[in-house]
Amino acid sequence: MKNISLDITKAAQFLNAGTVEAYEPKAKAAREALENATCAGNDFLGWLHLPSSLTPEFIAEVQACAGTLRAKCEVVVVAGIGGSYLGARAVIDALGNAFTWLVNDDRKNPNILFAGNNIGEDYLAELTDYLKGKKFGVINISKSGTTTETALTFRLLKKQCEAQRGKEEAREVIVAITDAKRGAARTCADKEGYKSFIIPDNVGGRFSVLTPVGLLPIACAGFDINKLVEGARDMEKATAPDVPFAENIAAQYAAIRQALYTQTGKKIEIIANFQPKLHYIAEWWKQLYGESEGKDHKGIFPAACDFTTDLHSMGQWIQEGERSIFETVISIETPNSHLDFPFDEENLDGLNFLAGKRVDEVNKMAELGTRLAHVDGGVPNIRISLPKLNEYYIGQLIYFFEIACGISGLMEEVNPFNQPGVEAYKKNMFALLDKPGYEAESKAIKERLANEK
Ligand code: PA5
């Protein structure tokens, strides 16, 4: 089986010869620190050997639970935010048909909806309205079990599910994925007798897609989680500490990112795709790299574009705006479908010169043309290529990005596995809402606002 590949030549040309190679010792030290658990954040390395440690029995248990939900539900709502939903959404969107989820497709898969990731009143009202009269189930995902967005959504969905199906039947279609012991989601699951899965203590949210957090929704959607894990496992081998730097694509990606950041002032990485299905892969990647590297007033800002769509909106800035960016393109070598550019008798648009070519050939020339134009405009370009869009290669891509993120964060000399900054908004919000226990913060924030008037 082929592996995904990495081409950094169009980025390395922006650096002096030998620069990337000069990062080898740092990349190697970071990779070994992960392996030996001697790095900052070493209590959150449960993801490192996750693919090779998942047993067939565990996968079968996830599949059995997915089977129950698939049999009993026309809609499954995944309630979760951040690392508790982006991985599942990324994989399901990448592998799913762009349109059949709108109707009940002939594969008899339940529609998978994502909620619990915002506090939009209209969104939630429209969701509950949509679910009226439908046989729906809920996967409630929260590691802490206390996240406001998810807890609010779960309250609404639990009530509605029980009202529509009765308490007994609701118990069969509500699943909790949470901490082994702590948090409201655990207490509720134990009290109600829901089927539940544990998010390991040593796996942070953004690294949790290969735990039940990602695997259960993905299996519910009808995708082969064995193949996904197999791909991740093969990438685990391909990026092991004993793989030479020149062949280790994760170390190479980490090294070129750090070289561009520290030596050429490229402070923004735009991840770009030429397949709209990859939109949420980019959203997942943004969280992975943003939360891991954006600390101590350092870190490459992770941004994302969908091409060619965004070439008609962001293309001007990328081509001629401030030269603070580099670009990483995720490319799919062979599409799963076959569609030719049609011939038209009248040729009013003058495009008959393309008639008979595969649509993907046109897309690939758009991709190559864009990469060359952006490089000419001063934007270093990295390319990650997947032979096909399927479970196996998405599994490879997930592990590739995770391990490269760990290496890159350690090379940047931050703890890639914590996220202290995400608490700041929550503290203010709870103070403003007079949450019990936040009395001092409430007083301080209200005084501050009064003084600003
Ligand atoms: O990466 C993270 O830790 C966060 O994005 C969390 O996943 C997110 O805040 C959700 O947290 P929880 O799963 O505790 O509800």
Side-chain angles (χ1 to χ4, degrees):
M1 190 80 78
K2 274 168 85 174
N3 276 349
I4 64 172
S5 59
L6 176 79
D7 177 5
I8 60 167
T9 50
K10 287 185 168 43
Q13 73 187 63
F14 287 80
L15 297 158
N16 292 330
T19 304
V20 178
E21 292 70 22
Y23 278 79
E24 176 176 350
K26 252 190 141 181
K28 208 168 153 25
R31 181 65 189 86
E32 276 164 11
L34 288 170
E35 198 62 24
N36 301 327
T38 50
C39 58
N42 57 4
D43 45 347
F44 277 96
L45 292 175
W47 56 273
L48 189 63
H49 293 299
L50 192 58
S52 55
S53 61
L54 294 174
T55 62
E57 293 74 29
F58 167 79
I59 301 273
E61 189 189 346
V62 173
Q63 283 170 326
C65 179
T68 304
L69 291 171
R70 285 167 62 78
K72 294 184 188 247
C73 305
E74 47 186 326
V75 179
V76 174
V77 187
V78 179
I81 193 167
S84 289
Y85 99 102
L86 281 167
R89 176 138 207 192
V91 176
I92 291 170
D93 274 29
L95 298 176
N97 182 298
F99 299 100
T100 52
W101 72 274
L102 292 169
V103 291
N104 274 330
D105 68 338
D106 53 15
R107 291 172 304 142
K108 300 278 181 278
N109 286 318
N111 289 344
I112 311 292
L113 300 183
F114 293 90
N117 53 58
N118 64 66
I119 319 177
E121 187 165 334
D122 286 344
Y123 181 91
L124 289 167
E126 287 162 19
L127 173 69
T128 50
D129 202 39
Y130 169 78
L131 293 172
K132 264 182 206 149
K134 293 204 166 55
K135 287 207 162 296
F136 76 90
V138 186
I139 306 177
N140 185 33
I141 310 179
S142 179
K143 190 174 184 205
S144 64
T146 56
T147 302
T148 311
E149 291 87 340
T150 308
L152 160 67
T153 303
F154 183 64
R155 275 190 184 207
L156 292 166
L157 296 178
K158 178 177 185 287
K159 264 201 170 91
Q160 185 171 358
C161 189
E162 287 171 352
Q164 289 180 195
R165 306 184 81 144
K167 240 176 171 312
E168 276 314 302
E169 199 182 309
R171 276 196 190 104
E172 292 164 26
V173 292
I174 297 179
V175 179
I177 305 180
T178 187
D179 187 83
K181 296 193 188 86
R182 284 163 305 198
R186 167 55 55 202
T187 313
C188 172
D190 290 347
K191 185 173 152 277
E192 298 285 357
Y194 298 150
K195 168 79 186 154
S196 69
F197 289 93
I198 293 167
I199 310 176
D201 263 350
N202 58 357
V203 180
R206 59 190 175 277
F207 287 88
S208 69
V209 54
L210 297 173
T211 72
V213 170
L215 296 178
L216 181 63
I218 294 165
C220 273
F223 299 112
D224 186 345
I225 55 173
N226 269 309
K227 285 262 171 287
L228 189 83
V229 171
E230 189 189 323
R233 207 173 274 155
D234 285 351
M235 188 51 61
E236 187 185 327
K237 282 192 209 125
T239 56
D242 58 350
V243 176
F245 179 69
E247 291 160 32
N248 187 331
I249 60 171
Q252 292 271 321
Y253 178 54
I256 189 83
R257 294 178 82 248
Q258 289 304 318
L260 292 168
Y261 179 57
T262 52
Q263 306 216 6
T264 68
K266 303 294 184 192
K267 306 227 176 277
I268 301 166
E269 178 175 10
I270 299 177
I271 198 125
N273 65 72
F274 283 77
Q275 301 287 346
K277 283 168 184 282
L278 298 181
H279 176 85
Y280 268 92
I281 292 281
E283 292 304 305
W284 169 81
W285 171 89
K286 271 162 58 181
Q287 184 197 1
L288 183 64
Y289 280 75
E291 263 188 3
S292 299
E293 294 190 325
K295 43 199 75 154
D296 303 343
H297 296 175
K298 297 191 277 194
I300 298 166
F301 182 83
C305 280
D306 297 326
F307 291 159
T308 59
T309 313
D310 293 339
L311 289 172
H312 297 256
S313 57
M314 294 300 290
Q316 173 60 35
W317 198 103
I318 296 169
Q319 192 67 44
E320 294 182 351
E322 193 185 56
R323 300 300 70 189
S324 50
I325 54 173
F326 65 97
E327 203 166 52
T328 298
V329 171
I330 305 179
S331 183
I332 309 296
E333 281 165 34
T334 315
N336 289 320
S337 316
H338 187 123
L339 190 65
D340 291 331
F341 207 105
F343 176 80
D344 186 271
E345 288 291 337
E346 291 185 278
N347 196 26
L348 293 175
D349 52 16
L351 291 177
N352 269 354
F353 74 101
L354 296 174
K357 283 189 195 300
R358 279 186 80 163
V359 170
D360 191 60
E361 197 180 331
V362 180
N363 201 26
K364 286 291 186 309
M365 291 308 108
E367 179 188 313
L368 182 58
T370 304
R371 292 179 67 222
L372 295 174
H374 290 178
V375 167
D376 290 346
V379 181
N381 189 282
I382 298 167
R383 183 171 186 254
I384 299 162
S385 186
L386 277 65
K388 260 188 128 47
L389 201 45
N390 60 24
E391 288 92 333
Y392 177 76
Y393 290 116
I394 292 290
Q396 284 201 4
L397 187 70
I398 286 169
Y399 191 82
F400 162 76
F401 275 137
E402 288 182 350
I403 186 75
C405 181
I407 298 171
S408 181
L410 292 178
M411 289 172 78
E412 192 198 296
E413 294 175 8
V414 295
N415 174 353
F417 308 116
N418 64 4
Q419 57 284 328
V422 300
E423 295 310 313
Y425 98 91
K426 292 184 197 167
K427 198 177 114 206
N428 284 346
M429 179 177 82
F430 291 143
L432 289 164
L433 289 167
D434 295 313
K435 181 171 175 172
Y438 282 74
E439 290 75 13
E441 287 86 350
S442 289
K443 190 166 170 279
I445 204 163
K446 283 174 188 167
E447 278 169 14
R448 171 184 161 180
L449 292 174
N451 289 336
E452 281 175 9
K453 275 188 191 147

